[in-house]
Amino acid sequence: MINLQPVIHRGKTNAEGFRFAIVASRWNDFLTSKLIDGAVDALSSAGAVEADVEIFMVPGAFELPLAALKAAQTGKFDAVIAIGVVVRGETPHFDYVAGEAAKGVSSVSLETGVPVMFGVVTTDTVEQAINRSGLKAGNKGFEAAMAAVEVANLYREMTATENKGKGKAFPHVV
Ligand code: INI
């Protein structure tokens, strides 16, 4: 019999009082625009206001990590949402573009402590990309933005807990 009942922390899905950067690529912009719309829709429905969401456009997914790093380094944002579309059929260097985008975005998170969401659709075909950009298989921009709201809440709570009892202020508690 298990008596132990650990506390489970889950990030709330309330975006009020948080700031978000969206870094998005123009490559396949007929789809990235849909992903951006999905992300903004998610943030708005979670309670974010216009002044708390900024969008930074870059040429392609390969440029997303540095844009995410620069956004994170401003210290203005609680989370960054990286958005792009890379289709295998369109490029012989798919693995480099998609791989570097994923690796880079992940290392920005770890190096800065600012969560960076991977809202990059990587598919074999344009049709699959279309389906993940607002049609049959959902909208990856929306999903990434909801994940951003969740982890922003969770990490703010964790930072407050971490500082508890150490005589520090609670810098992230509003
Ligand atoms: N960038 C993308 O975001 N998606 C792609 O499918 C793509 N293809 O097919 O090549 C792509 N290439 C551009 C790349 O991201 C850089 O912008 C470019 O190499 C300049 O650094």
mmCIF file of all heavy atoms in Angstrom, residues 9 28 57 70 72 92 96-98 102 104 125 134 144 163-164:
data_model
loop_
_atom_site.group_PDB
_atom_site.id
_atom_site.type_symbol
_atom_site.label_atom_id
_atom_site.label_comp_id
_atom_site.label_asym_id
_atom_site.label_seq_id
_atom_site.Cartn_x
_atom_site.Cartn_y
_atom_site.Cartn_z
ATOM 1 N N HIS A 9 2.721 19.644 -8.839
ATOM 2 C CA HIS A 9 2.580 21.029 -9.291
ATOM 3 C C HIS A 9 2.268 21.030 -10.773
ATOM 4 O O HIS A 9 2.978 20.389 -11.555
ATOM 5 C CB HIS A 9 3.881 21.808 -9.057
ATOM 6 C CG HIS A 9 4.266 21.880 -7.607
ATOM 7 N ND1 HIS A 9 3.832 22.881 -6.779
ATOM 8 C CD2 HIS A 9 5.029 21.059 -6.849
ATOM 9 C CE1 HIS A 9 4.318 22.696 -5.557
ATOM 10 N NE2 HIS A 9 5.050 21.578 -5.574
ATOM 11 N N ASN A 28 7.790 29.588 -45.859
ATOM 12 C CA ASN A 28 6.444 28.976 -45.826
ATOM 13 C C ASN A 28 5.465 29.887 -45.085
ATOM 14 O O ASN A 28 4.674 29.423 -44.257
ATOM 15 C CB ASN A 28 6.480 27.595 -45.147
ATOM 16 C CG ASN A 28 7.207 26.566 -45.979
ATOM 17 O OD1 ASN A 28 6.989 26.444 -47.169
ATOM 18 N ND2 ASN A 28 8.106 25.819 -45.350
ATOM 19 N N MET A 57 10.034 38.645 -36.494
ATOM 20 C CA MET A 57 10.074 37.818 -37.702
ATOM 21 C C MET A 57 11.516 37.619 -38.172
ATOM 22 O O MET A 57 12.308 38.570 -38.173
ATOM 23 C CB MET A 57 9.291 38.490 -38.835
ATOM 24 C CG MET A 57 7.809 38.721 -38.558
ATOM 25 S SD MET A 57 6.830 37.238 -38.249
ATOM 26 C CE MET A 57 7.097 36.285 -39.744
ATOM 27 N N LYS A 70 18.062 36.288 -28.327
ATOM 28 C CA LYS A 70 18.022 37.735 -28.144
ATOM 29 C C LYS A 70 16.751 38.160 -27.397
ATOM 30 O O LYS A 70 16.790 39.028 -26.524
ATOM 31 C CB LYS A 70 18.147 38.464 -29.486
ATOM 32 C CG LYS A 70 19.559 38.312 -30.058
ATOM 33 C CD LYS A 70 19.817 39.192 -31.234
ATOM 34 C CE LYS A 70 21.249 39.014 -31.745
ATOM 35 N NZ LYS A 70 22.261 39.491 -30.786
ATOM 36 N N ALA A 72 15.099 36.265 -25.277
ATOM 37 C CA ALA A 72 15.264 35.806 -23.889
ATOM 38 C C ALA A 72 16.196 36.741 -23.116
ATOM 39 O O ALA A 72 15.957 37.069 -21.952
ATOM 40 C CB ALA A 72 15.804 34.384 -23.868
ATOM 41 N N PRO A 92 17.031 19.754 -49.553
ATOM 42 C CA PRO A 92 17.978 18.666 -49.285
ATOM 43 C C PRO A 92 18.643 18.857 -47.922
ATOM 44 O O PRO A 92 19.197 17.909 -47.363
ATOM 45 C CB PRO A 92 18.989 18.799 -50.426
ATOM 46 C CG PRO A 92 18.842 20.186 -50.949
ATOM 47 C CD PRO A 92 17.453 20.630 -50.644
ATOM 48 N N TYR A 96 19.516 19.626 -41.493
ATOM 49 C CA TYR A 96 20.306 20.706 -40.886
ATOM 50 C C TYR A 96 19.393 21.813 -40.367
ATOM 51 O O TYR A 96 19.537 22.269 -39.239
ATOM 52 C CB TYR A 96 21.300 21.294 -41.902
ATOM 53 C CG TYR A 96 22.313 20.291 -42.374
ATOM 54 C CD1 TYR A 96 22.240 19.761 -43.651
ATOM 55 C CD2 TYR A 96 23.324 19.857 -41.520
ATOM 56 C CE1 TYR A 96 23.157 18.824 -44.080
ATOM 57 C CE2 TYR A 96 24.252 18.917 -41.945
ATOM 58 C CZ TYR A 96 24.162 18.403 -43.229
ATOM 59 O OH TYR A 96 25.060 17.468 -43.649
ATOM 60 N N VAL A 97 18.452 22.224 -41.212
ATOM 61 C CA VAL A 97 17.572 23.338 -40.817
ATOM 62 C C VAL A 97 16.713 22.923 -39.616
ATOM 63 O O VAL A 97 16.685 23.617 -38.581
ATOM 64 C CB VAL A 97 16.678 23.787 -42.003
ATOM 65 C CG1 VAL A 97 15.678 24.838 -41.548
ATOM 66 C CG2 VAL A 97 17.538 24.351 -43.135
ATOM 67 N N ALA A 98 16.025 21.787 -39.741
ATOM 68 C CA ALA A 98 15.135 21.355 -38.657
ATOM 69 C C ALA A 98 15.937 20.993 -37.409
ATOM 70 O O ALA A 98 15.565 21.356 -36.286
ATOM 71 C CB ALA A 98 14.303 20.153 -39.113
ATOM 72 N N ALA A 102 15.779 22.899 -33.747
ATOM 73 C CA ALA A 102 15.379 22.188 -32.524
ATOM 74 C C ALA A 102 16.472 22.252 -31.460
ATOM 75 O O ALA A 102 16.222 22.588 -30.299
ATOM 76 C CB ALA A 102 15.056 20.731 -32.861
ATOM 77 N N GLY A 104 19.021 24.343 -31.285
ATOM 78 C CA GLY A 104 19.292 25.726 -30.876
ATOM 79 C C GLY A 104 18.256 26.257 -29.912
ATOM 80 O O GLY A 104 18.584 26.858 -28.883
ATOM 81 N N THR A 125 5.824 16.271 -46.037
ATOM 82 C CA THR A 125 5.111 16.868 -47.173
ATOM 83 C C THR A 125 4.423 18.170 -46.766
ATOM 84 O O THR A 125 4.154 18.404 -45.575
ATOM 85 C CB THR A 125 4.002 15.910 -47.683
ATOM 86 O OG1 THR A 125 3.008 15.805 -46.651
ATOM 87 C CG2 THR A 125 4.542 14.539 -48.023
ATOM 88 N N GLY A 134 -3.442 24.296 -38.564
ATOM 89 C CA GLY A 134 -4.788 24.824 -38.362
ATOM 90 C C GLY A 134 -5.899 23.970 -38.909
ATOM 91 O O GLY A 134 -7.055 24.276 -38.712
ATOM 92 N N ALA A 144 1.848 25.307 -28.918
ATOM 93 C CA ALA A 144 3.104 25.806 -28.341
ATOM 94 C C ALA A 144 2.835 26.977 -27.407
ATOM 95 O O ALA A 144 3.456 27.101 -26.345
ATOM 96 C CB ALA A 144 4.062 26.221 -29.463
ATOM 97 N N ASN A 163 13.001 30.212 -3.528
ATOM 98 C CA ASN A 163 13.512 31.316 -2.730
ATOM 99 C C ASN A 163 12.939 31.345 -1.310
ATOM 100 O O ASN A 163 13.414 32.071 -0.472
ATOM 101 C CB ASN A 163 13.188 32.656 -3.419
ATOM 102 C CG ASN A 163 14.023 32.815 -4.683
ATOM 103 O OD1 ASN A 163 15.087 32.224 -4.782
ATOM 104 N ND2 ASN A 163 13.534 33.581 -5.633
ATOM 105 N N LYS A 164 11.938 30.540 -1.087
ATOM 106 C CA LYS A 164 11.254 30.551 0.199
ATOM 107 C C LYS A 164 12.218 30.158 1.314
ATOM 108 O O LYS A 164 12.944 29.179 1.180
ATOM 109 C CB LYS A 164 10.096 29.546 0.161
ATOM 110 C CG LYS A 164 8.908 29.937 0.972
ATOM 111 C CD LYS A 164 7.826 28.902 0.737
ATOM 112 C CE LYS A 164 6.476 29.432 1.092
ATOM 113 N NZ LYS A 164 5.420 28.539 0.655
#
